[in-house]
Amino acid sequence: MKRLFHKIFAFTLAFAVLFSTTAFAADMHFCCDKLVDLAVFRKVKSCDEKVKQQDEKSTKECSLGQKDCCSNQTFVKQGEDNLKSDSFELDANKVVFLKAFFYTNVNLFQRLELKTVPLINYDPPWIEKDILVLHETLLI
């Protein structure tokens, strides 16, 4: 459940960054204060064909035939252009550090084979005298 929330949150943040950095324009065509056409990535179509049909039925109210009745509006959303770009330069010291770091971490988590016991041939040192008895440090 936690992974699902993380994925949803990451997707939302990625979409927010994409939306905030993208620029687009929306054109709107109004006739008689009513939205007739809306276009996001292209120019709107005017109502010239409807004006010709409406000329025959002209009235005193707002109609498609009146010249001042139709209008176009454009909404422009500017994208962010002031984003910082990070540069990552590698010099010799960073390369040596990254190689050492990678090598130690890869070898750190390698598992031994199940049948391999690394200390099977180790013999403990032989004790000639009991040191605790010699120094009379007995645990009570």
Side-chain angles (χ1 to χ4, degrees), residues 32 50-67 69:
C32 302
K50 294 182 181 179
V51 169
K52 293 176 184 175
Q53 295 174 0
Q54 198 71 359
D55 283 341
E56 301 166 358
K57 304 175 185 176
S58 62
T59 60
K60 293 182 181 179
E61 299 177 2
C62 177
S63 66
L64 294 175
Q66 294 178 354
K67 292 181 181 178
C69 188

Side-chain angles (χ1 to χ4, degrees), residues 75-129:
F75 169 75
V76 178
K77 192 249 176 219
Q78 295 292 332
E80 291 289 327
D81 291 336
N82 57 359
L83 297 176
K84 279 178 57 176
S85 62
D86 287 339
S87 63
F88 184 71
E89 298 177 7
L90 287 177
D91 57 349
N93 292 333
K94 289 181 183 178
V95 171
V96 170
F97 173 74
L98 288 174
K99 283 183 180 179
F101 182 76
F102 181 73
Y103 179 75
T104 55
N105 281 333
V106 166
N107 289 338
L108 180 66
F109 296 109
Q110 283 183 349
R111 293 181 53 182
L112 295 174
E113 294 179 17
L114 296 176
K115 295 180 181 179
T116 304
V117 179
L119 303 175
I120 196 145
N121 295 327
Y122 177 73
D123 291 331
W126 184 67
I127 300 176
E128 295 180 15
K129 299 177 184 175

Side-chain angles (χ1 to χ4, degrees), residues 19 22-29 35-45 73-78:
F19 184 74
T22 305
F24 65 92
D27 289 339
M28 297 173 280
H29 183 73
L35 182 64
V36 176
D37 193 12
L38 174 69
V40 179
F41 296 110
R42 59 180 174 83
K43 294 286 184 184
V44 292
K45 295 179 182 176
Q73 291 182 357
T74 302
F75 169 75
V76 178
K77 192 249 176 219
Q78 295 292 332

